[in-house]
Every structure is written in structure tokens, then in C-alpha cells.
């Protein structure tokens, strides 16, 4: 998955018509950048956590999905 730079994102954010849309865009961008900063491939990590999130029942389960606690992922 190729993620474009800030200039391209700034252009895309012009189309966030509502505060909720802008918040959603900022949240997903934050997740992607946090994954990259922790050595994860963003698409693979998001897929990994979204598959396991419904099965999480405890704080420890949720913490295990954080990018710094997650096993390294790669796009498949």
C-alpha cells in the first residue's frame, strides 16, 4: 500500500465536508503513521488488528494489538 505525503493529504482533506469526516480522516492517518513509526506495514497491520479486534475480551488482548506490541506484519 502506497501512502502519499502530507501535500497530497492536505489536498484530500479539502473534501472533508464535516467535522466528523475530518476527525475520521485524522484518526485513520494517525493509525497509519503510528504503524509505520513502529515498523509495521500499515495495510497488513490494520488487517491483522481488524481481524482480531472482535475476539479481544480483556485489556491485555487490546494491548497486544497495539503496533509496538504486535508481531511484525507484512502485506500478503
Amino acid at each position: 500500500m502506497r501512502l502519499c505525503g502530507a501535500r497530497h493529504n492536505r489536498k484530500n482533506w479539502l473534501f472533508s465536508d464535516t467535522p466528523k469526516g475530518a476527525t475520521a480522516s485524522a484518526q485513520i492517518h494517525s493509525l497509519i503513521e503510528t504503524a509505520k513509526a513502529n515498523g509495521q506495514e500499515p495495510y497488513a497491520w490494520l488487517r491483522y488488528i481488524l481481524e482480531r479486534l472482535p475476539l479481544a475480551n480483556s485489556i491485555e488482548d487490546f494491548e497486544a494489538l497495539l503496533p509496538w506490541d504486535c508481531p511484525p506484519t507484512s502485506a500478503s
Side-chain angles (χ1 to χ4, degrees), residues 20-34:
K20 286 185 179 182
T23 299
S25 293
Q27 290 170 338
I28 194 70
H29 186 69
S30 178
L31 285 172
I32 290 168
E33 291 302 316
T34 301

Side-chain angles (χ1 to χ4, degrees), residues 35-51:
K36 288 180 357 185
N38 285 279
Q40 301 287 352
E41 196 284 317
Y43 176 78
W45 176 73
L46 285 171
R47 186 172 172 174
Y48 177 86
I49 65 165
L50 291 174
E51 289 172 350

